[in-house]
Each structure stands twice: as C-alpha cells, then as structure tokens.
Amino acid sequence: IIKVAKDAGVDAIHPGYGFLAESAEFAQACNDNKITFIGPRVEHLDIFGDKTKAKELAISAGVSVVPGTDGAVTNPQQAEDF
C-alpha cells in the first residue's frame, strides 16, 4: 500500500475501518514515508492495540471498565480459574 501511495504521489492515507485503522505498524510506515496517516497517532495505536495496556490506562485514568482479569490470560487454566 505504501509503495502504491508513493508511486501515485499520495500525501495522506485514511485507512478506513478494520485492521489497517488499528495498525501501529501501518501508521508508522506512513510516517516513515512522509505520508500523513489520518487517524490516531502511532503511540496511541500501540496502547489501544494491546487490550491489556488499554485497560490499565483506562483504570489509571479513573474510567470504569468491565470486570475481568488483571492481566492477559496466557493459558487455559487461568481462563478456567477466572
């Protein structure tokens, strides 16, 4: 996508909805190639793309969150225990 954008002289990309809109790597690739990424900044995508980080940030900001585990569930036993 970056190559096509550069070849076409594009100076900005709106990623739409879905996986590119949530990709910190794609946003960074745009930035690295002097193409404006129309969406959240890379550092925000990095946080919100990681649901554990996002929940921790919300809690630290005093935002109510849905009850759940305190961190990532990394094995079936943890899920069962929850």
Side-chain angles (χ1 to χ4, degrees), residues 4-81:
V4 170
K6 287 178 70 171
D7 289 350
V10 168
D11 63 357
I13 294 176
H14 185 289
Y17 298 96
F19 95 165
L20 286 179
E22 299 175 4
S23 172
E25 293 82 12
F26 181 66
Q28 186 63 57
C30 289
N31 292 346
D32 293 346
N33 286 278
K34 308 293 188 257
I35 298 170
T36 301
F37 178 83
I38 302 171
R41 294 194 314 233
V42 173
E43 56 270 24
H44 295 149
L45 289 169
D46 183 51
I47 293 168
F48 298 126
D50 179 324
K51 301 310 179 207
T52 301
K53 281 186 195 176
K55 184 175 179 182
E56 290 169 356
L57 180 64
I59 291 168
S60 73
V63 175
S64 296
V65 297
V66 175
T69 63
D70 290 333
V73 174
T74 58
N75 65 60
Q77 188 61 50
Q78 287 176 322
E80 191 173 312
D81 290 346

